[in-house]
Amino acid sequence: MAKQIIHRVTDDLDGSDAEHSIEFALDGVAYSIDLNDKNATEFREIMSRYVGVGERLGRVKVMRVTHLPTAGPSKSTKMRNDAIRAWAKKQGKEISDRGRIPAAIEEEYDRAH
């Protein structure tokens, strides 16, 4: 039996399909938000008022803006993440069905395999 798994990234504000993942920092805390074109443009317009008068500290990893691929992660990445989640659950570890896999669990999986 063949399966097709579709990874869909949704806009964190309105639930529509997201095309952008924007990372930013405020008060020493880094954030990431997934937005569609309209909301990403609005976010950038609002932030431009503050960015325009703020002191630039240079490039920081958390400040990069990425464009999300429309097809989602590669099949091999998705298969690896599914395998790690299944293994972690069998080991009795708490792991969510979605989102980023904690580095410690991924490292344990790699050591076990």
Side-chain angles (χ1 to χ4, degrees):
M1 173 194 310
K3 289 183 184 181
Q4 181 180 19
I5 298 172
I6 299 171
H7 179 80
R8 182 175 172 223
V9 180
T10 56
D11 185 296
D12 292 327
L13 292 177
D14 63 20
S16 65
D17 288 341
E19 291 89 15
H20 305 271
S21 181
I22 300 174
E23 295 179 2
F24 62 100
L26 178 66
D27 296 332
V29 179
Y31 300 87
S32 176
I33 188 168
D34 298 322
L35 299 171
N36 63 29
D37 284 333
K38 177 181 168 274
N39 288 334
T41 298
E42 182 179 328
F43 176 84
R44 290 184 180 106
E45 286 172 358
I46 291 168
M47 292 300 294
S48 69
R49 175 178 174 208
Y50 302 97
V51 170
V53 296
E55 179 183 351
R56 184 176 175 154
L57 299 176
R59 290 204 177 266
V60 180
K61 182 179 178 192
V62 297
M63 297 304 289
R64 71 183 160 83
V65 177
T66 59
H67 196 78
L68 294 174
T70 55
S74 69
K75 186 175 181 179
S76 62
T77 299
K78 175 72 172 134
M79 290 172 57
R80 174 178 163 75
N81 289 346
D82 288 346
I84 293 171
R85 283 190 169 85
W87 173 85
K89 287 178 183 177
K90 285 181 184 176
Q91 301 300 312
K93 301 186 181 302
E94 271 191 48
I95 187 166
S96 66
D97 292 331
R98 306 181 45 195
R100 186 170 296 210
I101 295 173
I105 290 179
E106 194 168 353
E107 289 169 6
E108 284 183 56
Y109 174 84
D110 289 339
R111 281 192 301 268
H113 295 87

